[in-house]
Amino acid sequence: MKLTRRDFLIKGTALLATLGLGGPMIFAENGSLLRSQEADHGGSDSSALVVIQLSGGNDGLNTLIPYGMGGYFDARPTLGLTQGEVLTIDNQVGLHPSLTRLHALYQRGKLAIVQGVGYPKPDHSHFRSMEIWQTAEPEKMGRTGWLGRYAATSLSRNGNPLKALQIGSGAGGLAFQAERVNVPVIQSLETYSFLDPKMPKTEQNRLAKAFLDMYDPKRQGTVIRVTCERGRDAYDSVDAVHQLGGGYQAKVEYPKSAIARDLQLVVKMLAGKSGTRVFYLQLGGFDDHVEEKELHARLLKQLDEALGAFYEDLEAQGLENRVATMAFSEFGRRVKENGNGGTDHGTAAPVFVLGGKIKGGLYGVMPSLTNLDNGDLKYQVDFRSVYYTVIDQWLKGDAAGVLGKTYERLGFV
């Protein structure tokens, strides 16, 4: 009997999401979809980048705290943290007291903090500012993302369907947008399957074969061909996930949070030799207009505990020198606290870069708290310099091609 797309909707699970590269699939029993382009794979021991998007606008001034700079306590009479509370880095700045594990990693030389990162003519809209960070094009409405352009150029011959992944909620948005670049969204290894595993194997294989026939990329017509390519990419990505080696053994206890679970999944993928070059994750909730002191401390603790366990796990698996992790937010907060125990949308903020081969320390300059732009910090480091350094020095990609021109290389790699 000939199967139709309707059959998949009846017998499959979340197939339409699959075609968006975020849903479940199954692999062929004979493993016939193993990639033939192994020479272009990039290798399971290549360097990997983990990007963590801190959505909502993280308060950089209460993350990397300028406790020794004039104007901090005047602007934040209730939100300001004292020197006794701060995890000091030098006589000017220190980390929030929730960031104990990141502070320890900083002292070990594994954490770089780039101060005052932003872009010209900053936008206070969550949507527009995040779009700017994801496209790396502040001057215009970008149609492609910086990681999408990286994948389309530097990874164009990499046949690995798992070369770039969104983990968890799939917050990458425009970051991976590019022509002929499809990035799977994976929430867990166990649920990333095409059909109900309880279904008889003969029925699974019948549906799998019908799916591959239906979404054959050799079909004529641009629209149909693009749809077929996306379907086949989705199928191949799940096949690759199911064929990962069993290299991961749990050696570290992670906290019970979504970001910790997502970071552990990154380690599982790398330990299984997924060959992934870029992972994208999200931790949200940083839009602290009210009652910031308690809420911000709680979120930073969640981030700190997750990253601490993640780095410990990387070390336990022997992967710490292969992974660099970058955490950013779409903007910082205004210098002066508001009347609701919170802060409003601002501009420049720190970017964290963590890894076994990262040259830890402070980079850039903390912006002045008194010489302001209408109440906002004046950025000191263009965020594209961070991207340029990561692509050029860590991923060994075509940074100038991705970003349109060269930018200052920072010294953290």
Side-chain angles (χ1 to χ4, degrees):
M1 180 180 68
K2 185 176 181 180
L3 291 170
T4 66
R5 286 178 174 83
R6 185 172 182 274
D7 291 312
F8 288 99
L9 294 178
I10 295 172
K11 295 177 180 277
T13 55
L15 178 62
L16 292 181
T18 297
L19 294 179
L21 303 190
M25 302 190 75
I26 194 172
F27 62 100
E29 188 176 30
N30 62 7
S32 61
L33 290 178
L34 279 173
R35 285 293 188 170
S36 60
Q37 305 99 317
E38 200 64 33
D40 303 330
H41 188 283
S44 60
D45 58 350
S46 299
S47 59
L49 174 67
V50 179
V51 179
I52 303 177
Q53 174 180 305
L54 305 178
S55 299
N58 177 43
D59 184 0
L61 288 178
N62 268 19
T63 302
L64 180 67
I65 301 166
Y67 71 93
M69 294 179 63
Y72 174 68
F73 294 106
D74 291 338
R76 300 187 167 206
T78 64
L79 291 182
L81 287 97
T82 66
Q83 181 176 355
E85 296 174 290
V86 169
L87 302 173
T88 58
I89 288 176
D90 58 24
N91 61 3
Q92 292 289 301
V93 299
L95 291 174
H96 189 283
S98 291
L99 300 176
T100 55
R101 300 191 71 171
L102 285 179
H103 186 250
L105 287 166
Y106 181 90
Q107 292 179 317
R108 290 176 55 191
K110 307 300 181 183
L111 176 66
I113 305 173
V114 188
Q115 305 173 97
V117 182
Y119 56 87
K121 299 179 181 178
D123 196 296
H124 290 97
S125 160
H126 290 293
F127 303 103
R128 177 58 186 146
S129 190
M130 187 59 75
E131 184 178 74
I132 287 170
W133 276 83
Q134 291 181 348
T135 62
E137 294 185 309
E139 297 85 8
K140 62 180 182 179
M141 301 295 289
R143 300 181 63 182
T144 61
W146 72 287
L147 292 173
R149 296 194 296 273
Y150 162 73
T153 55
S154 300
L155 301 182
S156 62
R157 296 182 65 244
N158 185 327
N160 181 3
L162 305 178
K163 59 181 173 284
L165 294 173
Q166 297 182 68
I167 301 294
S169 63
L174 278 172
F176 283 115
Q177 186 68 37
E179 187 177 357
R180 305 181 76 86
V181 172
N182 297 318
V183 179
V185 181
I186 298 180
Q187 297 187 351
S188 77
L189 297 181
E190 294 74 24
T191 61
Y192 199 62
S193 30
F194 180 26
L195 301 167
D196 186 346
K198 297 178 182 178
M199 182 183 293
K201 182 65 72 174
T202 54
E203 183 71 357
Q204 291 182 19
N205 287 337
R206 188 171 74 94
L207 287 170
K209 182 181 184 303
F211 179 86
L212 293 177
D213 290 342
M214 192 177 299
Y215 289 92
D216 184 350
K218 295 178 182 178
R219 285 174 176 264
Q220 298 299 314
T222 302
V223 175
I224 294 177
R225 185 170 65 250
V226 170
T227 300
C228 290
E229 287 174 352
R230 289 179 65 82
R232 184 60 184 251
D233 286 345
Y235 190 100
D236 287 1
S237 72
V238 176
D239 180 52
V241 165
H242 281 266
Q243 295 188 52
L244 291 177
Y248 182 78
Q249 293 183 347
K251 301 178 181 180
V252 172
E253 184 177 354
Y254 279 79
K256 307 297 183 184
S257 66
I259 186 63
R261 181 188 64 238
D262 291 347
L263 285 168
Q264 186 177 28
L265 178 54
V266 170
V267 184
K268 288 180 180 179
M269 298 289 293
L270 291 174
K273 301 189 181 303
S274 67
T276 308
R277 303 301 307 280
V278 180
F279 298 88
Y280 204 102
L281 296 75
Q282 175 186 218
L283 175 62
F286 285 92
D287 198 15
D288 294 318
H289 290 280
V290 298
E291 299 179 358
E292 177 180 318
K293 200 155 193 175
E294 295 78 16
L295 296 174
H296 193 231
R298 193 179 309 143
L299 267 180
L300 289 182
K301 183 178 181 180
Q302 189 178 132
L303 176 67
D304 182 75
E305 290 177 344
L307 282 174
F310 175 64
Y311 191 81
E312 185 182 348
D313 201 6
L314 289 173
E315 289 185 309
Q317 308 292 333
L319 296 168
E320 72 277 12
N321 290 333
R322 284 188 46 215
V323 181
T325 302
M326 180 185 79
F328 80 97
S329 193
E330 68 263 39
F331 46 61
R333 316 297 289 189
R334 291 178 71 81
V335 175
K336 186 177 178 60
E337 66 180 59
N338 62 29
N340 298 313
T343 52
D344 299 322
H345 299 179
T347 52
V351 170
F352 289 176
V353 186
L354 169 68
K357 287 190 174 181
I358 296 301
K359 298 176 183 177
L362 291 175
Y363 295 85
V365 178
M366 174 64 75
S368 170
L369 304 185
T370 54
N371 180 17
L372 302 176
D373 179 10
N374 193 30
D376 285 327
L377 298 174
K378 297 179 179 179
Y379 83 98
Q380 302 297 308
V381 176
D382 193 305
F383 76 105
R384 289 165 291 186
S385 289
V386 180
Y387 288 180
Y388 191 92
T389 304
V390 166
I391 297 170
D392 182 70
Q393 300 293 100
W394 181 251
L395 294 173
K396 305 300 182 184
D398 178 13
V402 169
L403 299 174
K405 64 178 185 179
T406 60
Y407 288 87
E408 177 188 6
R409 286 192 189 94
L410 305 175
F412 57 76
V413 178

